[in-house]
Amino acid sequence: MSGFTIRFDGAPVAAAPGQTVAAVLWAAGFRSWRTTRGAAAPRGLFCGIGVCFDCLVTIDGVRNQRACLVPARPGMEVATQLGVGDEL
């Protein structure tokens, strides 16, 4: 499979086979894709191995997905997550 596209907050982002959603976003220059519940502080990739929950995103309408664990798929819709599950 050659490269493909996912969408992040409505914008197309290039992806490669084998990349996680976090890897795709990081490679595209995005460093934050979630905000904390109380202070709305930006969060993104921290541990990269699924231990923490800093990289949570909404993927294809499903909240609280760890971007570092989910393989990117063609046509995937990824949305910034506010707090514990509201979309941007």
Side-chain angles (χ1 to χ4, degrees):
M1 174 192 283
S2 61
F4 56 91
T5 301
I6 69 170
R7 296 186 75 72
F8 177 59
D9 289 339
V13 180
Q19 285 185 308
T20 63
V21 171
V24 170
L25 296 177
W26 193 266
F30 297 102
R31 299 297 183 256
S32 167
W33 48 83
R34 179 178 83 84
T35 61
T36 58
R37 167 173 51 188
R43 293 289 187 263
L45 189 61
F46 182 70
C47 76
I49 58 172
V51 175
C52 76
F53 292 85
D54 274 357
C55 68
L56 294 178
V57 289
T58 299
I59 299 174
D60 295 332
V62 180
R63 299 174 182 178
N64 298 316
Q65 301 297 301
R66 285 181 262 180
C68 69
L69 297 179
V70 178
R73 297 180 318 274
M76 178 181 272
E77 294 283 339
V78 180
T80 295
Q81 184 167 299
L82 302 178
V84 294
D86 295 326
E87 291 181 21
L88 184 63

